[in-house]
Amino acid sequence: MNSSRPYLLRALYEWIVDNGCTPHVLVASEYPGTRVPAGYAKDGQIVLNISPSAVRYLELGDEVLTFEGRFGGVPQSLYVPVQAVQAIYARENGQGMFFEFEEPGPDEEGDAGGEDGPEDDAPPPRPSGRPSLKVVK
């Protein structure tokens, strides 16, 4: 059976935006195949604002989340495997959902530099227990 994570991500994203809130995702930045800006992750995690006004070309696919965003005024292309998304929530009230951590499968650990993936091989994330959210102002 297909993973429910991409379907839940799309549904919660739509729900958050429809209610006039700002969708944020918590990402395991060291998950294999993840490409996020260097220097913005802390403790192997990064919080990304994926609101329509903050990103361009957002694609919430079955396997990967891709978009362009600006970090320090510099445009960046981000590539996040859906399994690296640990949570999606509304910045204003924290409502959303946490996801269980899933170990990368054998195909994700091996050749991460395929046609659609990034070229660098990131180490697997450190097991850190439950993810935590912080209020970002």
Side-chain angles (χ1 to χ4, degrees):
M1 186 173 231
N2 291 339
S3 171
S4 61
R5 190 178 301 215
Y7 300 96
L8 293 170
L9 278 173
R10 287 190 290 268
L12 287 165
Y13 173 84
E14 210 171 299
W15 174 70
I16 291 167
V17 171
D18 285 351
N19 283 285
C21 294
T22 309
H24 281 199
V25 289
L26 176 66
V27 174
S29 61
E30 297 173 356
Y31 193 89
T34 302
R35 187 175 59 217
V36 295
Y40 290 90
K42 185 175 180 184
D43 298 326
Q45 299 177 329
I46 185 169
V47 176
L48 302 170
N49 175 350
I50 57 170
S51 69
S53 62
V55 300
R56 295 174 52 184
Y57 312 119
L58 177 65
E59 197 170 316
L60 295 166
D62 289 342
E63 301 292 325
V64 68
L65 167 81
T66 60
F67 61 92
E68 288 184 7
R70 296 180 76 80
F71 291 82
V74 179
Q76 305 256 351
S77 292
L78 286 85
Y79 184 96
V80 178
V82 170
Q83 300 307 321
V85 177
Q86 297 176 317
I88 182 168
Y89 62 95
R91 176 184 69 195
E92 291 78 3
N93 58 21
Q95 291 188 0
M97 178 180 283
F98 276 97
F99 299 103
E100 292 287 324
F101 177 75
E102 295 180 22
E103 290 291 332
D107 57 330
E108 293 164 341
E109 287 180 358
D111 182 26
E115 249 178 62
D116 297 327
E119 294 300 318
D120 60 306
D121 288 327
R126 298 182 310 263
S128 60
R130 289 190 75 163
S132 62
L133 294 179
K134 297 179 185 176
V135 176
V136 180
K137 294 186 180 184

